[in-house]
Amino acid sequence: MKNILILGAGTGGIITAHELQKKAGDKVKITLFEKEEKNVFVPSLLWLMVGKRSPQQVFRSTKSLNRKGIEVVLGNIEKIQPENISLNVNGKSYHGDFMVVALGASLYSEHNLPQYGHNFYTLDGATSFYNKLSTFKGGKIVILVSSLPFKCPAAPYEAAMLIESYIRKKGLKNKTEISIYTPETQPMPVTGKELGNAVKMMVEQKGIHYFTEHQVTSVNQQTLTFSNGKTADYDLLAFTPKHIPPQVIRDSTLPGKSGWIDVNRNTMETNFSGIFAIGDNTIIPLESGKPLPKAGVFAHYQAETVAQNIANRIKGEPDSKNFNGVGQCFLELGNGKAGYAYGNFYASPSPVVKMKNPGFWWHWEKVWFEKYWWFKYF
Ligand SMILES: Cc1cc2nc3c(=O)[nH]c(=O)nc-3n(C[C@H](O)[C@H](O)[C@H](O)COP(=O)(O)OP(=O)(O)OC[C@H]3O[C@@H](n4cnc5c(N)ncnc54)[C@H](O)[C@@H]3O)c2cc1C
């Protein structure tokens, strides 16, 4: 029996545990470590922001991931020792034959942002944003990207378009101004100009104001100030927080110079043999010089790769699966419609990403995926 330690029960950790159980269930003991009791399906936070989901609909209990062959340990991982594939949690030490690190990005709010606005990347922030939106009578709504990088590069644009749809249906369009402020040069810069321009056009066609190269430096009750000297007033503020590598990773010998974990971009193995890292806690530089975006779809495919190769190694077989940089995502546009972007982020010399014509179908695919997630894993 081999001991497999999986750190983090988010997208990457959950899929690794399930795939490994499926592929080598009789040969492995899987332990899945997670600090949060509420396991949130974060893509649904965008619907929660505009009242299309209630808070109770977007999470399940982490304990319900417990099943035959997968033991869930609830607690904050305090220490990781890659040198001997071990970790400490709840004052107890666990040792493994393989380790998969999927601790995501830690979210951290600068400039007192939580005092004035709503961090819609969290259950509480998306909930409190909707509480304010539902009684909004008109004024200025700002969606702020406070810092780069941030996970799901499409999310602020989706949030803005969903809010616009909500405001229009409420008959408040004439009394409301919606703006996005971001340090980026365009939407989803890593995907190239074509897709970026398409998203910019979609946003602006809905009457949403879009301001690039605006890095927030301070915030007060009604005004944002940016490093270029400009300011913006707001009545209702939603923001993406700063993303940093989890402290427990920074305190270990796992990360590279950036603080994120360097990996072999095809096998996701770290500099330590038998230790893999997947998802948002890794950094994968692309040929274009930009890193692979932090997105659940990549954590998902990387998890499948790692699970397959660990199962192979246990059976004495060579690695048989590579993560190839291919990914896709839905882009919510409001009015029950969505777009669908797909492409190869490992393409040379730069990613090749295309978008299918927006429609109702893609929105329903996203809804279906949410249902499938709950059904399959919880
Ligand atoms: C609003 C929103 C919408 C999104 N929509 C999409 C989308 O449509 N498509 C897409 O591809 N991506 C989307 N994403 C991004 C996606 O959710 C993340 O990229 C994905 O969850 C990353 O998976 P992960 O396993 O690396 O990390 P996570 O899913 O963040 O999981 C990490 C887990 O580790 C746990 N953890 C951290 N530190 C510790 C510790 N010390 N001890 C114990 N446990 C710990 C955390 O609690 C967490 O559960 C969205 C994100 C947001 C915020």
Side-chain angles (χ1 to χ4, degrees), residues 27-46:
K27 297 182 176 59
V28 291
K29 177 179 183 305
I30 300 168
T31 315
L32 181 56
F33 299 88
E34 172 57 50
K35 66 179 165 59
E36 301 292 337
E37 158 51 23
K38 284 182 183 167
N39 207 291
V40 179
F41 183 66
V42 281
S44 301
L45 294 178
L46 297 172

Side-chain angles (χ1 to χ4, degrees), residues 7-14 33-36 38-46 49 73 75-78 89 101-107 120-122 151-152 155 158 243 246 248 278-282 293-300 302 328-330 366:
L7 286 61
T11 310
I14 290 173
F33 299 88
E34 172 57 50
K35 66 179 165 59
E36 301 292 337
K38 284 182 183 167
N39 207 291
V40 179
F41 183 66
V42 281
S44 301
L45 294 178
L46 297 172
M49 282 180 89
V73 173
N76 187 45
I77 301 165
E78 293 134 15
V89 64
V101 186
L103 294 174
S106 286
L107 306 182
F120 70 97
Y121 270 33
T122 64
K151 57 186 164 185
C152 192
E158 297 181 270
H243 290 43
V248 66
I278 57 173
D280 291 354
N281 59 195
T282 64
K294 298 191 183 303
V297 63
F298 297 131
H300 188 140
Q302 291 165 356
Q328 56 286 124
C329 84
F330 302 107
K366 187 166 178 168

Side-chain angles (χ1 to χ4, degrees), residues 32 89 167 169 182 227 230 249 292 294 343:
L32 181 56
V89 64
I167 288 291
K169 280 189 193 130
T182 176
S227 59
K230 305 223 168 99
I249 289 178
L292 182 75
K294 298 191 183 303

Side-chain angles (χ1 to χ4, degrees), residues 190-212:
V190 70
T191 61
K193 283 242 172 305
E194 197 184 320
L195 191 76
N197 284 337
V199 174
K200 178 173 185 279
M201 228 163 72
M202 283 174 191
V203 162
E204 290 182 339
Q205 271 170 0
K206 290 176 185 288
I208 298 166
H209 304 281
Y210 180 48
F211 300 92
T212 56

Side-chain angles (χ1 to χ4, degrees), residues 234-272:
Y234 67 88
D235 299 298
L236 181 54
L237 174 65
F239 68 90
T240 66
K242 189 177 172 78
H243 290 43
I244 53 173
Q247 185 70 45
V248 66
I249 289 178
R250 282 183 285 143
D251 289 345
S252 76
T253 48
L254 269 177
K257 273 196 198 119
S258 65
W260 305 101
I261 306 174
D262 297 322
V263 286
N264 172 311
R265 73 179 203 160
N266 296 120
T267 63
M268 308 307 293
E269 194 157 16
T270 65
N271 294 328
F272 296 89

